[in-house]
Amino acid sequence: MKHITCIDDLRALHKRRVPKAFFDYCDRGSYAEETLRANREDMQAIKFRQRILVDVSKRDTSTTILGETSTMPLVLAPVGLLGMQHGDGEIHACRAAQAAGIPFTQSTMSICSIEDIAASVEKPFWFQLYVMKDRGFIKALIERAIAAKCSALVLTVDLQVIGQRHQDIKNGMTVPPEWSLSKLIDFATKPAWVSGVLQGKRRTFGNLAGHLKVSDDITSLSTWINSQFDTSLNWNDIDWIRSIWPGKLVLKGILDVEDAELAAKTGAQAIVVSNHGGRQLDGAPSSIEVLPEIVDAVGDRMEIMFDGGIRSGQDVMRALALGAKSCMIGRAYAYGLGAGGQAGVAKAIDIIQKELLTTMGLCGVNRIEEIDDHIIAV
């Protein structure tokens, strides 16, 4: 890892080490990928004011996220199938996050189960929830998160209808993988990945295994999952979730001011401004484009988190300058996981923190709370 200098280096290594289907699952977006590209292009268009001769000898990235101390304004976002990027990937990512002093969010569609992670780490983690038609199963899932002492529930609200990811269809992306000659050849060139995944605790969706009648039949399980995302999900369902979940609630997937206003009335502690990493509505605005107006509308009533296109500490600085309290990264740490397991995730976090510290210094800023739109070049 000593020659890795940036997140793009981790991405290149991830691409070499992980089978194409799983790399593309992490890397690509929906349809023509317009929104995926916009997340990066709009972020990079934001320029900083370089400031000089300011005492920046006491720079500190520490902050609070949902009232808890964090070493930096960064959260590892929920990413599905981490255990197919690296064996026991969710456990390794959570350990790296906790060692760095930042939150980790487990996906409903993870390979390791809630209980697998809870038994393998020392501190609470966050759990991300997709609401499905089988509300009895969802209630049980929330109760499992409570039993595991998860410290926040992140409700993803932008996946009622699933955007088509062309590359997943072309790759025949399934969990566990469906075998074909091309996949066998691809896997044969990645023996370390194969060994790691085979040694992992699971190779299917851990939060579903053993809790559904179809869970032992992979074909039936896949059919069940595809049929279960609930198109009837609405604002009233948040009240039902809050009647079960006693802790901190985050709504992830807000991209519109009107929706942000409604979210502020739910009692949730935070929202995540996000377009699902360009994997849902193609042609939607970038997350960074809509962030300022959402902050203006509800930033005094709830904590605003940001997700979408973060690949560097400079990007974190940009989002904070436009009003976010903290940022989530998904692809950036998944690249690290595929590149080098727990050490790769730790490297991704370290890269972003060091870049943030440097950018703060060159913009004349010492503390996270000092970052605002005055550091942006007009």
Side-chain angles (χ1 to χ4, degrees):
M1 289 285 148
K2 70 176 183 178
H3 297 299
I4 298 293
T5 62
C6 60
I7 299 300
D8 280 346
D9 286 350
L10 289 173
R11 180 183 179 276
L13 190 54
H14 179 196
K15 188 174 184 179
R16 292 200 301 270
R17 291 186 173 179
V18 173
K20 185 177 188 299
F22 294 112
F23 172 78
D24 284 348
Y25 172 81
C26 168
D27 190 60
R28 302 296 292 271
S30 64
Y31 298 101
E33 300 184 337
E34 293 175 11
T35 302
L36 175 70
R37 290 191 296 273
N39 277 348
R40 293 295 301 133
E41 291 168 358
D42 291 354
M43 183 74 76
Q44 291 172 319
I46 298 169
K47 304 303 178 185
F48 298 111
R49 293 175 64 201
Q50 179 174 301
R51 305 304 303 279
I52 60 170
L53 297 178
V54 177
D55 181 354
V56 288
S57 61
K58 297 180 180 179
R59 283 166 291 144
D60 182 2
T61 63
S62 64
T63 187
T64 59
I65 302 176
L66 292 182
E68 299 291 331
T69 300
S70 181
T71 58
M72 62 185 300
L74 195 70
V75 179
L76 298 196
V79 177
L81 313 187
L82 287 179
M84 301 307 292
Q85 304 294 344
H86 187 281
D88 290 338
E90 291 85 7
I91 292 172
H92 291 296
C94 188
R95 285 174 173 168
Q98 293 188 350
I102 65 173
F104 167 80
T105 317
Q106 183 196 10
S107 170
T108 292
M109 307 310 295
S110 61
I111 300 300
C112 291
S113 69
I114 299 172
E115 294 79 10
D116 291 337
I117 300 178
S120 303
V121 301
E122 298 179 354
K123 301 174 185 176
F125 53 93
W126 297 4
F127 182 71
Q128 175 267 337
L129 181 71
Y130 287 125
V131 177
M132 299 178 180
K133 293 176 183 176
D134 186 341
R135 296 305 170 87
F137 170 70
I138 294 304
K139 182 175 184 291
L141 198 56
I142 297 172
E143 290 170 345
R144 289 166 63 191
I146 295 169
K149 297 181 171 55
C150 292
S151 53
L153 185 71
V154 179
L155 175 63
T156 296
V157 294
D158 60 355
L159 205 80
Q160 292 161 270
V161 177
I162 302 176
Q164 180 169 295
R165 294 100 191 234
H166 294 337
Q167 205 60 39
D168 288 350
I169 295 172
K170 292 174 181 177
N171 289 332
M173 229 293 296
T174 61
V175 178
E178 290 181 351
W179 295 108
S180 65
L181 180 59
S182 62
K183 281 194 176 71
L184 285 170
I185 294 170
D186 190 11
F187 287 18
T189 64
K190 298 170 178 67
W193 176 87
V194 172
S195 175
V197 170
L198 289 178
Q199 292 178 53
K201 295 177 183 296
R202 303 176 190 273
R203 283 164 293 282
T204 187
F205 298 107
N207 289 323
L208 278 55
H211 294 271
L212 302 170
K213 293 179 181 179
V214 299
S215 62
D216 295 327
D217 179 338
I218 297 304
T219 301
S220 298
L221 178 58
S222 297
T223 301
W224 182 88
I225 293 168
N226 291 334
S227 69
Q228 276 293 312
F229 285 98
D230 193 352
T231 55
S232 72
L233 184 68
N234 61 76
W235 291 103
N236 293 329
D237 291 307
I238 296 176
D239 293 333
W240 174 73
I241 291 167
R242 291 184 67 240
S243 73
I244 306 166
W245 174 255
K248 298 168 185 174
L249 179 65
V250 180
L251 305 183
K252 181 177 183 290
I254 306 297
L255 206 64
D256 183 88
V257 169
E258 186 175 346
D259 287 337
E261 293 278 6
L262 292 169
K265 298 175 182 178
T266 64
Q269 282 71 37
I271 59 172
V272 184
V273 177
S274 172
N275 55 33
H276 214 97
R279 293 165 59 81
Q280 279 294 94
L281 176 61
D282 203 28
S286 68
S287 297
I288 200 70
E289 179 183 347
V290 301
L291 175 62
E293 59 183 353
I294 290 176
V295 170
D296 287 346
V298 300
D300 59 343
R301 284 178 275 169
M302 60 197 318
E303 201 160 308
I304 310 295
M305 301 178 184
F306 176 84
D307 169 71
I310 299 287
R311 297 290 187 276
S312 66
Q314 292 91 333
D315 293 339
V316 172
M317 188 92 159
R318 289 170 170 124
L320 297 181
L322 295 183
K325 182 76 163 50
S326 60
C327 296
M328 283 187 166
I329 55 170
R331 288 182 176 93
Y333 86 86
Y335 294 148
L337 182 66
Q342 184 173 331
V345 178
K347 185 68 174 180
I349 296 168
D350 182 62
I351 286 169
I352 289 175
Q353 184 171 32
K354 287 178 177 176
E355 290 172 341
L356 177 58
L357 271 169
T358 299
T359 308
M360 289 169 64
L362 294 173
C363 291
V365 172
N366 279 290
R367 300 177 62 81
I368 294 300
E369 52 266 35
E370 295 173 11
I371 301 172
D372 59 24
D373 60 6
H374 289 96
I375 70 164
I376 301 299
V378 178

